[in-house]
């Protein structure tokens, strides 16, 4: 009964928001992010003064984490994050307290400057949010990292880690897994229930700090609006996940929507999208300046970062 009530509330809230919020999806740091061919993911510090996002080449052949910081309401020029730039790095994610930054990398476990391995989850940490000094990158190790690939880490306030994996215990293709932090160590990761995972692809999960809700991507689901959509599931008092619901046209487009990050204090959802405002009717032009303006516009169908205000 509780699951039904929660699901009804979600559906009602999204229905009410669809009309008024759909046009409020905004570009994020467009002057900065538009400098790169594509941007894949985004995370912002609890104090809203540090941003990390992944810049990639047109074909994804390059993948580097970029850092920008804010001082006196002004964002700094983008720079390669100090821990990135030598290997394929992506999917940075702040912990709720801002003291750890998780990310994914194919870097070797040793300090070797060459050679790569599969994708693992790594992290850096610091003593205070007032310092810019981070530790050297640390590999999460077993049982989180395996001989396969692990992606998109997101951590709750209690230390429980949610991530994407293709492990043999998945319910289909990629699944969302959780590893519980208990007695100062991580448990064997388990695939979340069928309320979230399916026989298809589930990916890019963001867990609320108190684990009350989970936002994730689902690929080509029956209720999907595009190739990939963002979904949300709420956990009830008994710890049971409700059937995941599509975040509707409030967030999703008819293109690929993925990589969510939610800032709880500002109630802002950040996400990546391949949406485009270029319509067939506008393609016919002999004006070169107009043509180039359309091709290089923020919403040109390449991966860009967007945000919207939504209470979850």
């Amino acid at each position: 009964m509780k699951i039904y009530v929660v699901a009804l509330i979600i559906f009602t809230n999204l229905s009410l928001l669809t009309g008024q919020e759909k046009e409020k999806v905004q570009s994020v740091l467009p002057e900065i992010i538009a400098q790169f061919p594509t941007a894949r993911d985004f995370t912002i510090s609890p104090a809203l003064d540090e941003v990390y996002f992944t810049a990639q080449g047109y074909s994804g052949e390059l993948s580097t984490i970029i850092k920008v910081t804010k001082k006196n309401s002004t964002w700094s020029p983008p720079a390669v994050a100090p821990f990135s730039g030598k290997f394929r790095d992506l999917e940075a994610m702040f912990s709720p307290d801002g003291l750890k930054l998780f990310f994914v990398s194919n870097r070797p476990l040793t300090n070797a400057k060459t050679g790569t391995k599969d994708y693992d989850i790594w992290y850096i940490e610091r003593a205070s949010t007032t310092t810019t000094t981070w530790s050297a990158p640390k590999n999460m190790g077993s049982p989180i990292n395996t001989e396969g690939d692990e992606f998109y880490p997101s951590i709750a306030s209690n230390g429980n880690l949610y991530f994407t994996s293709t492990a043999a215990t998945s319910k289909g293709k990629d699944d969302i897994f959780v590893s519980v932090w208990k007695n100062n160590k991580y448990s064997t990761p388990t695939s979340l229930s069928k309320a979230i995972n399916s026989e298809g692809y589930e990916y890019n999960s963001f867990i609320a700090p108190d684990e009350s809700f989970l936002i994730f991507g689902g690929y080509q689901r029956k209720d999907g609006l595009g190739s990939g959509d963002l979904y949300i599931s709420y956990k009830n008092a008994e710890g049971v996940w409700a059937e995941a619901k599509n975040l509707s046209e409030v967030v999703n487009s008819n293109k690929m929507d993925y990589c969510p990050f939610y800032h709880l204090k500002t109630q802002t959802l950040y996400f990546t999208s391949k949406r485009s405002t270029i319509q067939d009717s506008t393609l016919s032009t002999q004006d070169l300046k107009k043509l180039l303006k359309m091709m290089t516009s923020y919403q040109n169908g390449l991966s860009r970062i967007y945000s919207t205000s939504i209470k979850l």
Side-chain angles (χ1 to χ4, degrees), residues 1-7 10 162 192-196 207 210-214 232-244:
M1 183 63 182
K2 288 185 178 181
I3 295 177
Y4 174 78
V5 172
V6 170
I10 297 169
Y162 293 72
L192 296 183
S193 72
K194 291 184 178 179
I196 293 169
I207 187 64
D210 63 357
E211 295 187 293
S212 59
F213 63 83
L214 183 85
I232 188 167
S233 174
Y234 284 81
K235 183 188 286 187
N236 68 16
E238 285 72 41
V240 177
W241 290 104
E243 191 72 25

Side-chain angles (χ1 to χ4, degrees), residues 41 62 151 235:
D41 46 70
L62 298 172
F151 292 105
K235 183 188 286 187

Side-chain angles (χ1 to χ4, degrees), residues 99-115:
L99 298 181
K100 288 185 178 181
L101 185 75
F102 296 84
F103 66 99
V104 171
S105 179
N106 70 341
R107 65 187 61 198
L109 293 176
T110 64
N111 292 324
K113 295 182 179 180
T114 59

Side-chain angles (χ1 to χ4, degrees), residues 70-92:
K70 185 168 64 174
K71 186 176 182 180
N72 298 327
S73 301
T74 301
W75 287 102
S76 68
V80 175
F83 59 88
S84 190
K86 296 180 180 179
F87 301 97
R88 289 177 58 85
D89 303 321
L90 64 158
E91 299 177 345

